[in-house]
């Protein structure tokens, strides 16, 4: 049976056990979140060969340094592992604003040394738990902006909506993820589809692209099941009137038709209006089922896999 070697400690692995499960069983303190290989909270470093799936989704720069995801790694041979030094930051709550009764805009101070691309996510720590939230702000703004939806019975939602106030200090992890705008190909058309607070990363990515002078068309479809869920509508309409290459399409999946809002699911409307997506760059954020079906639809409509960037908001395990 394979074993983990951590700081000279030998930890035997059970059959089909992941590195994360083994560490938790041995009471080793380790960060983790979604346990599905998405949030990357459980990233560790190894000194040996790793199974391919343990590095799936990691940037090349991390792969070559033997970083891997503990939740996705089931070693067949002994593996020497290291827990990277914790690089967390303290931030202060600058403001909390209800954008709708169900969505709060949380602004945090930018800790020294915190670097990010709009659209990446950070992990927020509270009560020995971790949740991921996407960055809607731009690095030149004097705050980090998060949009947080109220989840009934949710631990973090309740804390943020009911307890957190201006001036409180919170612990956050470094920015992670690969769902962000990159320069180069300024003429490439961009399609964005988001549901609910999936708008947060898209709002950051959109403004980043416009700030970099992106010239190709940018089409943003934002879906909600309620009219209030279509938050930041005025701001997005303003951006679309200022930038002729940007169009904003709010979509309502339920209820009576509203002027200026398309009726139906954002993903279905966006795909029907773009039957040929060859050469497009695509960003998909929010509900995991929507992201999955949009990813498939975009691929079938011609988008190259490497041009599809996703941020499924998976609940913490
Ligand atoms: C990469 C990433 C980025 C994310 N970015 C954002 C963001 O920008 N804004 C944002 O609001 N959220 C975002 N999320 C989701 C966020 O991390 C939390 O999962 C969410 O806020 C719920 O946490 P909670 O502690 O309130 O609820 P929990 O205590 O975790 O859950 C309470 C109950 O609700 C269920 N539940 C949790 N989430 C959902 C859901 N979405 N739909 C239905 N049931 C659910 C749980 O299974 C559980 O039964 C992101 C997730 C990931 C992985």
């Amino acid at each position: 049976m394979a074993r983990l070697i951590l700081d000279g400690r030998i930890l035997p692995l059970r059959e089909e056990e992941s590195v994360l499960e083994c560490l938790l069983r041995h009471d080793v303190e380790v960060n983790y979140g979604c346990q599905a290989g998405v949030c990357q909270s459980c990233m560790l470093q190894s000194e040996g060969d790793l199974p391919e799936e343990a590095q799936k989704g990691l940037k090349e720069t991390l792969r070559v340094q033997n970083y891997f995801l503990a939740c996705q790694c089931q070693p067949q041979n002994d593996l020497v592992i290291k827990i990277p030094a914790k690089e967390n930051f303290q931030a202060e709550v600058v403001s909390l604003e209800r954008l709708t009764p169900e969505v709060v805009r949380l602004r945090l101070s930018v800790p020294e040394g915190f670097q990010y691309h709009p659209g990446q996510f950070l992990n927020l720590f509270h009560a020995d738990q971790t949740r991921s939230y996407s960055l809607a702000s731009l690095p030149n703004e004097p705050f980090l902006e998060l949009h947080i939806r109220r989840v009934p019975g949710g631990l973090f939602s309740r804390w943020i909506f009911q307890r957190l106030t201006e001036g409180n200090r919170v612990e956050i992890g470094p920015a992670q993820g690969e769902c962000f705008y990159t320069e180069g190909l300024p003429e490439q058309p961009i399609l964005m589809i988001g549901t609910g607070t999936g708008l947060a990363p898209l709002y950051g990515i959109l403004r980043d692209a416009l700030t970099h002078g992106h010239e190709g068309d940018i089409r943003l479809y934002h879906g909600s099941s309620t009219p209030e869920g279509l938050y930041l509508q005025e701001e997005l309409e303003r951006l679309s009137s200022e930038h002729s290459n940007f169009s904003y399409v709010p979509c309502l999946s339920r209820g009576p038709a509203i002027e200026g809002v398309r009726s139906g699911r954002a993903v279905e409307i966006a795909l029907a209006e773009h039957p040929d997506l060859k050469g497009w760059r695509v960003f998909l954020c929010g509900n995991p089922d929507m992201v999955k079906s949009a990813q498939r639809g975009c691929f079938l409509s011609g988008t190259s896999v490497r041009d599809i960037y996703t941020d499924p908001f998976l609940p913490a395990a």
Side-chain angles (χ1 to χ4, degrees):
M1 200 62 70
R3 301 165 313 163
L4 297 179
I5 298 125
L6 170 69
D7 297 332
R9 241 178 111 185
I10 309 251
L11 311 173
L13 279 147
R14 289 182 180 158
E15 207 169 326
E16 293 194 2
E17 191 173 47
S18 71
V19 169
L20 178 64
E21 286 162 344
C22 179
L23 292 175
L24 294 176
R25 186 166 56 79
H26 287 93
D27 294 327
V28 176
E29 219 176 282
V30 59
N31 276 343
Y32 67 98
C34 72
Q35 294 196 48
V38 176
C39 78
Q40 302 188 356
S41 311
C42 63
M43 189 153 52
L44 303 179
Q45 217 172 357
S46 89
E47 283 177 15
D49 288 343
L50 289 158
E52 206 182 310
E53 59 279 10
Q55 292 190 302
K56 217 168 156 191
L58 293 188
K59 281 190 189 139
E60 194 50 29
T61 46
L62 294 171
R63 284 166 181 263
V64 295
Q65 297 175 77
N66 264 6
Y67 280 99
F68 70 100
L69 301 177
C71 72
Q72 298 300 299
C73 182
Q74 293 183 350
Q76 299 306 312
N77 301 308
D78 287 1
L79 191 66
V80 180
I81 59 166
K82 272 199 295 189
I83 299 185
K86 236 182 165 194
E87 272 190 85
N88 290 346
F89 301 85
Q90 297 291 321
E92 190 174 310
V93 176
V94 176
S95 65
L96 277 152
E97 181 194 350
R98 290 280 169 102
L99 294 174
T100 79
E102 302 303 319
V103 177
V104 84
R105 171 193 257 160
L106 169 62
R107 284 183 171 162
L108 302 173
S109 61
V110 190
E112 204 177 312
F114 187 91
Q115 292 183 338
Y116 70 100
H117 295 279
Q120 282 190 298
F121 64 88
L122 55 75
N123 285 323
L124 184 59
F125 301 93
H126 166 64
D128 290 334
Q129 301 256 347
T130 311
R131 301 285 185 272
S132 307
Y133 294 102
S134 307
L135 286 150
S137 44
L138 300 183
N140 63 359
E141 290 175 321
F143 47 75
L144 302 176
E145 177 166 318
L146 313 174
H147 302 164
I148 294 159
R149 183 172 79 85
R150 190 207 301 267
V151 171
L155 177 74
F156 274 54
S157 313
R158 193 177 322 117
W159 169 56
I160 292 163
F161 274 74
Q162 296 178 3
R163 295 260 173 263
L164 208 60
T165 54
E166 281 175 26
N168 284 173
R169 293 190 76 75
V170 294
E171 189 180 354
I172 57 173
Q176 299 178 42
E178 295 185 26
C179 189
F180 57 84
Y181 178 76
T182 48
E183 285 177 79
L185 302 177
E187 283 158 23
Q188 186 177 29
I190 294 180
L191 175 66
M192 301 176 157
I193 311 175
T195 50
T197 41
L199 182 62
L202 297 181
Y203 181 61
I205 296 164
L206 163 70
R207 293 186 307 136
D208 200 24
L210 295 175
T211 306
H212 280 98
H214 192 84
E215 291 160 18
D217 278 350
I218 306 177
R219 308 209 177 133
L220 166 60
Y221 289 77
H222 183 214
S224 171
S225 55
T226 63
E228 309 81 60
L230 295 170
Y231 67 98
L232 292 184
Q233 221 172 338
E234 265 179 40
E235 164 69 0
L236 290 163
E237 273 156 11
R238 184 185 64 77
L239 284 172
S240 98
S241 66
E242 284 173 8
H243 298 270
S244 57
N245 61 333
F246 169 53
S247 52
Y248 160 60
V249 186
C251 307
L252 200 53
S253 61
R254 282 191 218 147
I258 297 180
E259 205 190 319
V261 175
R262 299 268 218 296
S263 293
R265 289 180 189 277
V267 58
E268 284 159 17
I269 296 170
L271 290 174
E273 292 182 0
H274 297 85
D276 182 4
L277 286 169
K278 192 157 181 254
W280 285 65
R281 201 183 315 182
V282 172
F283 294 94
L284 310 167
C285 304
N287 180 290
D289 292 336
M290 181 287 287
V291 169
K292 206 166 157 196
S293 87
Q295 199 169 9
R296 190 168 177 274
C298 291
F299 174 72
L300 292 175
S301 301
T303 318
S304 156
V305 173
R306 67 164 194 278
D307 277 332
I308 303 180
Y309 298 86
T310 64
D311 216 348
F313 287 5
L314 289 163

